Amino acid sequence: MESTEPLTEDRLLDGRLRLIQPRDGYRAAIDPVLLAAAVPARPADSVLDLGCGVGAAALCLLARCPEVTVTGLELQEGLAELARRNAALNAMEGRFIPLEGDAAAPPPGLSGFDHVLTNPPFFADGSGTPAANASRAAAHQEGGLDLAGWIKAAVKLLRPKGRLTLIHRAERLGDILVALRGRGVGDISILPLWPKADRAAGRVIVGARKGVRSPLRLLPGIVLHGDDGAFTPPAQAILRGGAAIETLGVGEEKT
């Protein structure tokens, strides 16, 4: 079923990716591009984009890593359909397979991924003012799964030694670390994203590996904007050039 909402066609990665998305609902900005850049995928890896929306993060990852396969799982039927359209629009149908489904009860057989990347809903249920648009509200507000439940579901879908990579609001880092505790994960990486050099981090990218015991690492962060408001060279390399955030996956991982 195709979405009947007004749509726009936008561009990512300096115009290399085309993205159809709702004009008034949830719209991808820079978060999914940064998330994709943080995934240390290798050729032939299997990847799950949990809560894939219209497919922005998955498509950015595939632009950088064309030899991986990405499965998307999206609760909202309209967004899942747009993700399928975007896969076709960018000639990535065979490599990006969006499915409609609930993270709380994934489709049978969906497990054992080398990577799970995710941009969970930012706001706890009952906090803040929900967006007037129902699709945008569903994407931003926790519903059937709170943040801890979302992280539990993501870890469960990984193979042993697989890696979880997520992006979230910096103020919820404590909740993320609590949610990871007791999940059998280690090698936790925290990468702050600062809007400007003199500002507090607004986002964090957190990585963790299932079934390993390496200690937590606080990584060098990335400043996104200079004093003039323009993107810094590192940010431009990621957002326009599609470069990887190499520091989140330092060294050769054991399989």
Side-chain angles (χ1 to χ4, degrees), residues 114-133:
D114 297 299
H115 299 272
V116 173
L117 66 128
T118 187
N119 182 3
F122 278 171
F123 300 101
D125 188 28
S127 68
T129 303
N133 180 277

Side-chain angles (χ1 to χ4, degrees), residues 120-126 137-148 168 172:
F122 278 171
F123 300 101
D125 188 28
H140 283 294
Q141 296 283 144
E142 294 172 4
L145 279 182
D146 60 10
L147 181 57
H168 214 288
R172 300 206 67 185

Side-chain angles (χ1 to χ4, degrees), residues 34-41 47 61 64-65 115-117 165 244-245 248:
L34 293 163
L35 173 63
V39 178
V47 182
L61 177 61
R64 175 169 60 86
C65 304
H115 299 272
V116 173
L117 66 128
T165 306
I245 301 176
L248 198 58

Side-chain angles (χ1 to χ4, degrees), residues 7-10 21-29 32 54 136 140:
L7 304 174
T8 63
E9 182 178 317
D10 302 290
Q21 55 185 340
R23 186 192 66 191
D24 303 315
Y26 173 75
R27 294 179 58 80
V54 299
R136 183 191 292 266
H140 283 294

Side-chain angles (χ1 to χ4, degrees), residues 53-68:
V54 299
L59 295 171
C60 287
L61 177 61
L62 285 165
R64 175 169 60 86
C65 304
E67 296 180 338
V68 308

Side-chain angles (χ1 to χ4, degrees), residues 72-141:
L73 187 64
E74 173 53 47
L75 179 63
Q76 297 188 53
E77 179 184 5
L79 297 184
E81 175 56 32
L82 288 176
R84 287 187 281 271
R85 289 179 61 183
N86 286 325
L89 188 64
N90 291 280
M92 295 181 182
E93 304 102 308
R95 294 181 288 141
F96 178 37
I97 305 165
L99 305 174
E100 183 185 347
D102 191 343
L110 203 69
S111 63
F113 289 93
D114 297 299
H115 299 272
V116 173
L117 66 128
T118 187
N119 182 3
F122 278 171
F123 300 101
D125 188 28
S127 68
T129 303
N133 180 277
S135 177
R136 183 191 292 266
H140 283 294
Q141 296 283 144

